[in-house]
Amino acid sequence: KTDYLQTMLKENRRDGLACLAKKHLPWDSRNNGYSINFEGRSTTPSINNLQVADPLDDSNILLQLGKAKDNCYYLDVKYPFSLYQAFGVCLASFDFNCCCVRIVYRRCVS
C-alpha cells in the first residue's frame, strides 16, 4: 500500500498541501558568511538559525528560529504550523541542520 502523501506528490497534486521551503540564505561578503534578516529579532549568528517561508512568497515567513545568546533561541511561528509542529522542526534542525530544505505539511481540510 502506497502512502497517501507520497502518491499525491508523485501525481503533482497539491490540493490540501502546503509545500514550504527553508529560505535561501544570501552570502554576506562583509561578514564572510550566510546571513538571514530577522528584523532585529535575533542578532547572534548560528548555524541553527533558520526561516521557513512559502516558496511562492519569500517574504511570507511562517517559522523562524534565531539565536539570542548561548543556549537561548527565539521561535516565531504562524499558520499553517502549530506550536508543536514548529517545535519539532526546530528540534530536528538542531540534530541535522539540512533537514529543513523542503517541508511538506498536510493541511486538515474539512
Side-chain angles (χ1 to χ4, degrees):
K1 184 177 176 181
T2 307
D3 181 65
Y4 174 75
L5 184 59
Q6 185 179 19
T7 302
M8 287 186 71
L9 291 173
K10 281 183 180 178
E11 295 173 358
N12 203 24
R13 292 178 29 222
R14 302 287 192 250
D15 48 305
L17 294 179
C19 294
L20 310 173
K22 184 175 179 179
K23 192 169 178 183
H24 172 71
L25 305 178
W27 182 260
D28 184 357
S29 58
R30 187 181 68 209
N31 294 325
N32 200 28
Y34 295 102
S35 65
I36 304 175
N37 184 0
F38 281 94
E39 304 294 335
R41 184 81 168 121
S42 175
T43 56
T44 306
S46 171
I47 194 164
N48 294 315
N49 288 353
L50 71 96
Q51 291 180 330
V52 176
D54 183 341
L56 301 176
D57 180 9
D58 204 31
S59 66
N60 185 17
I61 299 167
L62 305 171
L63 179 151
Q64 72 178 13
L65 175 69
K67 187 171 185 175
K69 57 185 179 183
D70 284 344
N71 299 318
C72 183
Y73 285 81
Y74 293 111
L75 171 61
D76 299 321
V77 60
K78 63 182 178 180
Y79 182 84
F81 286 104
S82 69
L83 287 176
Y84 182 76
Q85 291 165 328
F87 188 65
V89 168
C90 294
L91 286 179
S93 75
F94 282 112
D95 188 42
F96 183 65
N97 193 265
C98 296
C99 75
C100 296
V101 171
R102 187 158 182 92
I103 299 170
V104 178
Y105 172 82
R106 184 164 188 266
R107 288 189 188 140
C108 296
V109 180
S110 51

